[in-house]
Amino acid sequence: MRRTTAKAADKIALLSATLCLAGKAHNVPSKQFWDTALENRSYALLVLLGIAGVFGALTPFESWQTRSLTDRNVTMRRSILSTFGRLLKISEEVRPPLATGDLALHVWQKRRTVRHPLRGVLIRVATYRMSSYPATRPFSPTIGVGAVGLCWQQNREVDFDVAPLVNQLENREEFDRYVTQHGPTAVMNLSWEDFQAFRHRTALFATPIRNRRSRFVGCVSVDASHGYEVLRRRELLEEMSNLGIAIGLENFECT
C-alpha cells in the first residue's frame, strides 16, 4: 500500500464515521431511517465513536505503512549499495584506473513540470558515488535528450561512447556540421552548450525503470569519465536492470 493510499484510507474511515454520527444527531436523512437502522443495535453509535477516535488520533493505516516503508527503505538501500559495490568492482579493470568518485550511479524519475505538463522530464532523484567530486551538474532532460532521454524514447537499454565525439568536435562549427551530416541523435540530441557541459562524462549507460504495468517511469544510469569498452559488459547491464526492476516495483518510494 502506498503512503497516499494509506492516508486516504484513514481519512475515508474517519469521514464516514463522522458523517454517520452527524447524520444521527441531526436526523439526516430522517429520524425513521436511524430508528430502523439502529433498532436493537445500540452499540453501533459506540462503534462509530470508536472508529472516529481511532482513525482520527492513531491513523492506523498510515502508521502501518510508515513502519513498512522504513523496513522496505532499508532493504532497498542495501540493494542499491550492493549494486553500486559490484559496479565499482567491474570498474577496477578500467585502465588507466578511474579516480575515486569517478564512477556514478543515478536514479531518474519521469515527472510532469509546469514547463512540460504533458510528457514531463526526467528528474535525478538519487546519485551514488564515492565522493562529492566531480560535482553532479543540474540536468533535467526531455524525451530523447541525453543517454537517459534516449533510454526513455526507445524504452530500452542505451549505451553511448562519447570519447570519439569529444576528440572530433572541438568547436561549434564542427559540432553543427556533424549534426547536419549524421542527425541530432548522433549527439544524443544535445545542444552545443549541453555537449560542452557534459563532455567530461564519456562512458554512458542507461536502463529503463518500468512500473507494474510495464510502463516507462524512469531509468537507472551509470557514467564515468572513460572506460566505455571495459564497462560495456553484460554484468554491468544486468546489475542496472535488476536494480531498475526493484525500484519500479517500489514506485520510487525507497530510493
Side-chain angles (χ1 to χ4, degrees):
M1 181 185 294
R2 297 178 60 181
R3 185 174 184 179
T4 53
T5 304
K7 293 178 67 174
D10 286 330
K11 290 180 179 179
I12 289 172
L14 175 60
L15 178 62
S16 299
T18 302
L19 288 176
C20 288
L21 290 170
K24 173 62 174 68
H26 297 281
N27 292 322
V28 177
S30 68
K31 185 176 185 301
Q32 181 181 359
F33 170 84
W34 287 107
D35 289 343
T36 302
L38 298 177
E39 185 178 2
N40 299 323
R41 301 185 183 89
S42 57
Y43 59 86
L45 290 178
L46 293 177
V47 172
L48 290 174
L49 283 171
I51 291 175
V54 168
F55 283 90
L58 303 180
T59 58
F61 286 124
E62 184 178 3
S63 298
W64 170 81
Q65 196 276 342
T66 300
R67 290 193 298 271
S68 173
L69 180 61
T70 300
D71 294 338
R72 286 156 46 211
N73 197 18
V74 171
T75 301
M76 177 58 70
R77 191 57 55 90
R78 287 175 178 171
S79 178
I80 292 174
L81 294 178
S82 178
T83 298
F84 186 56
R86 287 190 286 270
L87 297 182
L88 289 174
K89 187 67 176 179
I90 294 172
S91 71
E92 289 178 355
E93 300 179 21
V94 175
R95 294 293 180 272
L98 294 174
T100 301
D102 193 320
L103 188 77
L105 169 68
H106 309 279
V107 179
W108 305 77
Q109 184 177 15
K110 186 176 72 172
R111 294 180 183 173
R112 291 185 175 90
T113 64
V114 175
R115 293 184 61 186
H116 302 279
L118 298 180
R119 306 202 71 173
V121 297
L122 287 174
I123 302 295
R124 186 171 11 220
V125 296
T127 293
Y128 298 86
R129 64 186 344 142
M130 292 296 291
S131 74
S132 58
Y133 179 84
T136 302
R137 304 186 183 188
F139 188 47
S140 300
T142 56
I143 186 169
V145 178
V148 291
L150 289 174
C151 177
W152 176 8
Q153 183 180 57
Q154 301 172 13
N155 196 18
R156 64 174 178 83
E157 294 78 10
V158 168
D159 58 83
F160 212 99
D161 184 9
V162 186
L165 294 180
V166 171
N167 296 329
Q168 181 179 352
L169 309 178
E170 297 182 351
N171 55 60
R172 182 186 291 272
E173 290 71 23
E174 293 176 346
F175 180 86
D176 292 341
R177 190 180 308 116
Y178 187 86
V179 171
T180 301
Q181 293 175 350
H182 302 279
T185 303
V187 293
M188 300 177 288
N189 297 298
L190 294 172
S191 65
W192 168 247
E193 289 75 17
D194 285 338
F195 181 78
Q196 283 288 88
F198 297 103
R199 62 188 296 157
H200 61 295
R201 313 302 288 171
T202 67
L204 308 177
F205 306 86
T207 59
I209 297 174
R210 302 184 179 94
N211 61 16
R212 295 178 184 271
R213 292 178 291 178
S214 296
R215 294 181 179 176
F216 182 95
V217 292
C219 63
V220 175
S221 73
V222 169
D223 58 72
S225 62
H226 62 279
Y228 171 83
E229 296 79 5
V230 175
L231 295 175
R232 188 179 182 271
R233 53 196 292 182
R234 178 180 176 181
E235 291 84 352
L236 180 134
L237 296 176
E238 283 184 347
E239 292 290 345
M240 294 172 62
S241 296
N242 290 335
L243 181 58
I245 291 172
I247 294 174
L249 292 175
E250 290 290 351
N251 196 34
F252 291 91
E253 288 191 339
C254 303
T255 53

